Amino acid sequence: MKGTIIWFVIISLFLGFIFGGVIIGNIFPSSLKITDTILCDGEMSVINRSYSYKPGQSGVEHIVKCTDPASGEVRTITAQAVIVYSLMFSAAFFVLLWINRLIRKLRGKPVIGDKVSPAQPAQVGRSSAAPPAAPAGFNPAKDSALEALTELKKLREADLISEQEYQAKKAEILAKL
């Protein structure tokens, strides 16, 4: 569980900085104003400035400024705004990942971070009922090894037997050759 939380934090931070700070912050720079209550007591403004660094090539620079109401001092807070904005997106991604985990768990599907007992690794996501028995006509001693292995593979692909049961029976059939 602790490892799951750590991975969710890492993934959320990555996604938050990529989508929030880089993509959304550059496409909609005025959306950075959402951080004004955290970073700025006065008025926050986003200035978009076009520039050319080579003939025929240009770029746009986004500058976030905060004006102190008492002194009228203007501070540049672009880096802080992008970091806080990205952390807000990271928190949203963390919540979404956690909700996804809870929904998967409620539906009985495999969940990242769940421990799988070594005795039954194929039982993750299955009901607690025992797997169905092999068909009545399946007898490796009577059938040829090829037919037995083919039938066994069909049972595994239909998810009627676990991977562990498949490997054990396969080894038993091959040992009789």
Side-chain angles (χ1 to χ4, degrees), residues 16-91:
F17 276 84
I18 294 300
F19 286 104
V22 178
I23 296 173
I24 304 296
N26 279 312
I27 294 173
F28 306 107
S30 61
S31 65
L32 290 168
K33 285 186 177 182
I34 198 169
T35 62
D36 67 347
T37 56
I38 298 170
L39 296 174
C40 185
D41 293 333
E43 186 180 330
M44 181 184 257
S45 60
V46 179
I47 301 164
N48 302 315
R49 189 173 69 188
S50 296
Y51 62 92
S52 178
Y53 51 91
K54 263 183 165 180
Q57 296 181 348
S58 63
V60 178
E61 179 180 26
H62 308 295
I63 303 167
V64 182
K65 296 194 178 232
C66 176
T67 305
D68 187 351
S71 66
E73 177 189 354
V74 178
R75 299 178 292 136
T76 301
I77 57 169
T78 306
Q80 295 95 322
V82 170
I83 290 170
V84 169
Y85 192 68
S86 298
L87 288 173
M88 290 173 154
F89 269 86
S90 296

Side-chain angles (χ1 to χ4, degrees), residues 101 103-112 114 124-126:
R101 182 181 194 280
I103 290 171
R104 289 182 65 84
K105 200 169 205 163
L106 289 173
R107 290 184 178 169
K109 294 184 177 178
V111 176
I112 296 172
D114 277 356
V124 175
R126 285 193 183 176

